[in-house]
Every structure is written in structure tokens, then in C-alpha cells.
């Protein structure tokens, strides 16, 4: 077994603290997301959208704890890819990262496409012009540094929070002035759709919480990553869930149409009805402006996340090594960022419905594997035995609940989505076969055995050892060290 030093390996600049990480995660989830699925989930749950958000938030909190546990031990870029790699080996790690790429690549694309669609409806200018402009802007922001991205996020979050605050105030005012409206806490009770409808709606809302996963991809750019990344992951999940629940609660009190009787197009534009009912045309126009800004922010943070995954996989030799090249002046993964931008450009003319349908596959794969990775890393190894009640909760009970909860969400996936996801995984198996030369060699993985997880100095410096060639030979896309 040959250990490969990290002395000459590409490294990202550590510049982010806890506030920037939380801003990044909340921006990625973007509070205006609640309006994107508002009509559909309200119809599914009989106007009990707030209850569905509460259930989803609780479910995602367990997975967020698992992400935080793994991020504390492995504070490097790569997210679910890195965690599954360390728990189950390079092969499973690669396939997990490959499945996650499906999710990360399509999420920014949806934001850019929706941005173009909204602006086209207002200006009449073809959507692709606005989409291309947004992609170019986000590319430049990401190239010039993640710190700049976090600063732009502050403005975007401020606009989103302002919209949400105005909407909540106007919605509660509408409810107070109405007669015969629902009780204050009625949206948190089970309606005519029963628990089946509530759970179905909750499954749809799970993808709104991908912000905590995006936070974990910035571990190598975070100060004191072992302390700040786990905290940011959990805070992002809880803050996002609270905001989603509050906004949907206000909307559910202000307006109670027969969602189930509406057409698909009416459900898609439910936010128009919400804004016009509570605030008129002025609020509606403000909503469009903020929604566009939110799309830019979410697309921007999405591009940051997937470029860091490509960076990590390129550095590990599982994808072409040039992906791990860093612009020394800015400390950003310039080749990986450029690659993501090109792939986004290739997909802008796909139907939005098809893009949305495949996101769940990658997200739920990552959530499930990370929960299992905690069990494999901490609960089922002699050197991390469960020794007391606290460790039993953290390393055994919580990840088991997270695994079961995310596995349950898989039941919401359609057959077409599963087929597309399995085809994508099959392509990943082919790439892995090439990298390992017909599976005759093990995929490379990183070794953290010499790093003390409790050592803040080690956390600041990153892993103390580098890549392991488990059979003592070179791999494609990587030079021998």
C-alpha cells in the first residue's frame, strides 16, 4: 500500500465562517421555493402544506445530523461522495458521487430555466437570452471566488426574507379580516386527504432541503471545518424548514381554494393567485423580481456545490485530473467550474418537467448512503464502538431513523424516474470500469487515519495524509507521487 502525500495536491482557500455557510445553505434552498410547489402540494395535502413541511423538516433533520457527523470526521470537499468513499470504499464512493451529480447538475439548470421563463412572460424576450446571461454571470462570480458568492448571497437572502415578511404580514391580515376562515392551527391538522396525502406532499418537499448537502461541499474552504460544517448543516436545515413552514402557514390561512379541482397550469402558477389575493399587482411584481433573484442565488450556489464535487473526484483520480486544477490567485477550481457551465449550457433546451423528474433520484441516493455511512463508520467498527447513550443516539439510532425515512421517500419516485436514474448509474459503472481497468484494481480513496478529529490545527490544515493506492499501482487520470 502506497500513501501519496498531499503536499503537492491542489488545495482550496479557507475563507468561510459559520454565518457564510448558513447563508450559503439557506440561499441554496431559497425561501421562494415554497411558492414553486405551493399549488401542487396544497392540492395533494388538502391545503395542509404547513403540516407537510413540518414532517419533511423532521425527516431531513436526521439526515442533516448524519451529514454533520461525517463532515466532522472528514472536513474536505466532496460531500456524499467523500463520506461514502470513506465508509464503503472508492467504488461505492464514485457511484454515490456520480448519482449526486445527477441532482447537482439539474438543480442549477432548473433555476436558470425558470428565470428565463418568468422574464420571458414579462418582457416577451425569448427565455434563452436571459438564461444564457444568467449562466454567464454565475460563472464569473464562481470563478472570482466563493467569498464573492457569499457576499452576493446576502443581498439575495435579504430580498427573499423581505418578500416572505411582507407576504406573511399581508396573509395574516387577510385572514383576520375574513369571516368564516380556517382556525389558526387548522393547517397543521390532517384534512380530507388523510395521512396518505400528507406523506405524499412531504416527499415532494424533501428536495427543498438540499441546502445542507451543498454546505458540506465547502468543507475545504471553511475555517475550523470540523466545528463549523456540522453546525451549519443542522442550522441550515432547521432555519429553512422554519421559514418554509411559516410562509406556507400564512398562505394556507389567507386563501383556501379548491386546489384539487384546479388544472395543472393553475397549480403551476398558484403563487400568482396568492400574491394577487394578499397584495395585489404590486406584490405580484415584487414577487417576480425576487423570484428571479432567488433563481440566480440558488443556481449560483448549486454551481459552486457541483464544481467542488468534480474537483474532489478529479483530485482522487476518478475523473480526469485537470478537473482538480485551481486558479492560484483566487483559490477556485476553475476547470471544474467551467465544465459545469458547459454541461448546463447543453441542457437548457430540455423540457423543465423532464429535468425536475430526475432530481429526486440523486438526492435520495445521497441521503440514504450518508445515513448508512454513519452506521458503517461509527457503529459497526471496533475503533468507533458505541459506548454510551449519547454515542448510541448519534451513531446508531439517528442514522437508522434517517435511513428508514429517506428510503420511505423513494416510494414517491415514478417508474420513469427510476429508469433514468438507473441508466445514469449504469454509465457511472462503465466509467468506473475504465478507471479501474476492468475492475482489476481498486478505486483510489483518501486516508485520514493519521489526522486527529479533535485537533483544531489538523482540521484547519485538512487531512494529514493523502491518497491511497490500495494495490500499489497508478490509476488513470492521476500521476504517481
Amino acid at each position: 500500500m502506497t500513501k501519496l502525500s498531499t503536499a503537492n495536491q491542489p488545495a482550496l482557500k479557507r475563507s468561510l465562517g459559520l454565518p457564510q455557510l448558513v447563508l450559503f445553505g439557506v440561499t441554496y434552498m431559497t425561501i421562494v421555493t415554497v411558492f414553486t410547489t405551493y399549488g401542487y402540494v396544497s392540492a395533494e395535502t388538502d391545503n395542509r402544506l404547513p403540516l407537510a413541511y413540518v414532517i419533511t423538516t423532521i425527516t431531513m433533520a436526521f439526515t442533516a445530523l448524519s451529514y454533520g457527523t461525517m463532515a466532522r470526521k472528514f472536513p474536505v470537499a466532496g460531500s456524499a461522495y467523500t463520506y461514502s468513499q470513506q465508509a464503503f470504499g472508492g467504488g461505492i464512493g464514485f457511484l454515490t458521487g456520480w448519482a449526486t451529480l445527477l441532482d447537482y447538475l439539474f438543480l442549477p439548470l432548473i433555476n436558470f430555466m425558470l428565470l428565463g421563463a418568468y422574464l420571458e412572460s414579462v418582457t416577451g424576450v425569448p427565455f434563452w437570452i436571459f438564461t444564457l446571461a444568467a449562466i454567464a454571470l454565475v460563472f464569473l462570480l464562481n470563478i472570482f471566488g466563493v467569498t464573492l458568492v457569499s457576499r452576493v448571497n446576502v443581498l439575495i437572502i435579504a430580498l427573499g426574507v423581505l418578500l416572505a415578511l411582507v407576504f406573511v404580514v399581508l396573509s395574516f391580515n387577510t385572514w383576520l379580516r375574513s369571516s368564516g376562515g380556517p382556525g389558526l392551527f387548522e393547517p397543521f391538522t390532517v384534512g380530507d386527504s388523510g395521512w396518505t396525502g400528507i406523506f405524499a406532499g412531504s416527499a415532494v418537499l424533501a428536495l427543498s432541503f438540499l441546502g445542507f448537502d451543498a454546505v458540506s461541499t465547502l468543507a475545504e474552504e471553511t475555517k475550523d471545518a470540523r466545528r463549523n460544517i456540522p453546525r451549519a448543516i443542522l442550522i441550515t436545515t432547521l432555519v429553512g424548514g422554519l421559514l418554509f413552514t411559516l410562509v406556507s402557514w400564512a398562505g394556507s390561512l389567507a386563501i383556501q381554494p379548491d386546489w384539487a379541482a384546479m388544472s395543472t397550469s393553475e397549480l403551476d402558477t398558484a403563487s400568482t393567485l396568492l400574491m394577487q389575493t394578499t397584495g395585489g399587482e404590486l406584490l405580484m411584481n415584487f414577487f417576480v423580481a425576487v423570484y428571479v433573484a432567488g433563481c440566480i442565488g440558488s443556481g449560483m450556489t448549486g454551481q459552486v456545490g457541483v464544481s467542488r464535487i468534480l474537483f474532489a473526484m478529479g483530485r482522487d483520480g476518478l475523473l480526469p485530473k485537470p478537473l482538480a486544477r485551481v486558479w492560484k490567485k483566487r483559490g477556485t477550481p476553475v476547470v471544474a467550474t467551467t465544465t459545469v457551465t458547459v454541461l448546463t449550457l447543453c441542457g437548457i433546451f430540455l423540457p423543465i418537467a423532464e429535468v425536475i423528474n430526475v432530481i429526486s433520484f440523486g438526492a435520495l441516493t445521497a441521503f440514504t448512503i450518508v445515513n448508512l455511512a454513519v452506521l458503517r463508520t461509527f457503529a459497526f467498527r471496533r475503533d468507533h464502538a458505541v459506548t454510551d447513550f449519547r454515542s448510541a443516539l448519534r451513531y446508531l439510532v439517528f442514522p437508522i431513523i434517517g435511513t428508514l425515512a429517506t428510503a420511505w421517500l423513494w416510494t414517491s419516485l415514478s417508474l420513469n424516474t427510476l429508469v433514468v436514474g438507473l441508466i445514469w448509474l449504469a454509465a457511472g459503472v462503465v466509467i468506473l470500469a475504465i478507471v479501474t481497468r476492468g475492475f482489476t484494481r481498486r478505486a483510489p480513496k483518501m486516508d485520514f487515519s493519521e489526522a486527529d478529529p479533535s485537533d483544531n490545527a489538523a482540521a484547519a490544515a485538512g487531512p494529514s495524509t493523502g491518497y491511497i493506492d490500495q494495490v500499489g499501482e497508478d490509476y488513470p487520470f492521476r500521476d504517481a507521487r
Side-chain angles (χ1 to χ4, degrees), residues 189-277:
T189 63
V190 180
D192 294 337
S193 64
W195 283 109
T196 300
I198 298 296
F199 290 151
S202 178
V204 173
L205 300 176
L207 299 183
S208 300
F209 289 79
L210 282 170
F212 69 77
D213 177 77
V215 168
S216 66
T217 67
L218 298 179
E220 289 191 51
E221 293 162 273
T222 300
K223 304 171 185 176
D224 194 3
R226 284 192 171 92
R227 181 173 181 267
N228 286 328
I229 288 291
R231 292 185 175 186
I233 290 172
L234 185 57
I235 292 174
T236 294
T237 303
L238 297 178
V239 169
L242 177 62
L243 293 175
F244 291 148
T245 302
L246 177 61
V247 172
S248 62
W249 183 22
S252 297
L253 291 175
I255 179 173
Q256 308 88 35
D258 187 357
W259 297 106
M262 290 187 176
S263 65
T264 301
S265 59
E266 289 175 324
L267 292 177
D268 289 341
T269 58
S271 56
T272 303
L273 181 60
L274 283 171
M275 298 302 162
Q276 290 178 336
T277 301

Side-chain angles (χ1 to χ4, degrees), residues 40 42 72 125 131 152 172 193 196 214 218 234 337 340 390-391:
Y40 175 75
S42 292
R72 184 179 293 108
V125 177
T131 299
V152 175
F172 276 111
S193 64
T196 300
L218 298 179
L234 185 57
T337 302
V340 173
R390 182 178 180 181
S391 63

Side-chain angles (χ1 to χ4, degrees), residues 27 29-38 110-119 121 156 159-160 163 268 271-272 275 283-299 352 356:
T27 301
M29 290 192 293
T30 179
I31 191 171
V32 294
T33 298
V34 68
F35 299 113
T36 302
T37 58
Y38 192 100
I110 287 177
N111 284 282
F112 297 134
M113 295 171 73
L114 288 174
L115 178 149
Y118 266 94
L119 291 180
S121 67
I156 294 173
L159 290 173
L163 171 65
D268 289 341
S271 56
T272 303
M275 298 302 162
L283 182 61
M284 179 61 202
N285 292 331
F286 182 50
F287 164 76
V288 172
V290 174
Y291 194 88
V292 168
C295 285
I296 293 178
S298 185
I352 294 179
I356 293 175

Side-chain angles (χ1 to χ4, degrees), residues 160-200:
V161 170
L162 178 60
L163 171 65
L165 179 62
V166 172
F167 174 76
V168 167
V169 171
L170 292 177
S171 293
F172 276 111
N173 182 60
T174 300
W175 172 71
L176 288 172
R177 295 170 58 185
S178 66
S179 59
L184 183 61
F185 297 105
E186 184 176 323
F188 295 98
T189 63
V190 180
D192 294 337
S193 64
W195 283 109
T196 300
I198 298 296
F199 290 151

Side-chain angles (χ1 to χ4, degrees), residues 329-408:
K329 181 178 180 180
R330 295 288 179 176
T332 54
V334 59
V335 177
T337 302
T338 302
T339 301
V340 173
T341 301
V342 172
L343 292 174
T344 301
L345 289 172
C346 294
I348 62 173
F349 293 105
L350 293 174
I352 294 179
E354 291 186 14
V355 175
I356 293 175
N357 286 337
V358 299
I359 291 178
S360 299
F361 188 91
L364 294 177
T365 297
F367 293 162
T368 303
I369 293 296
V370 171
N371 281 304
L372 291 174
V374 174
L375 294 172
R376 176 70 177 87
T377 302
F378 296 95
F380 301 139
R381 286 184 176 174
R382 293 181 179 178
D383 55 340
H384 291 101
V386 175
T387 58
D388 53 32
F389 180 74
R390 182 178 180 181
S391 63
L393 287 177
R394 176 182 295 181
Y395 303 136
L396 187 61
V397 177
F398 289 163
I400 287 178
I401 295 176
T403 300
L404 294 176
T406 52
W408 163 77

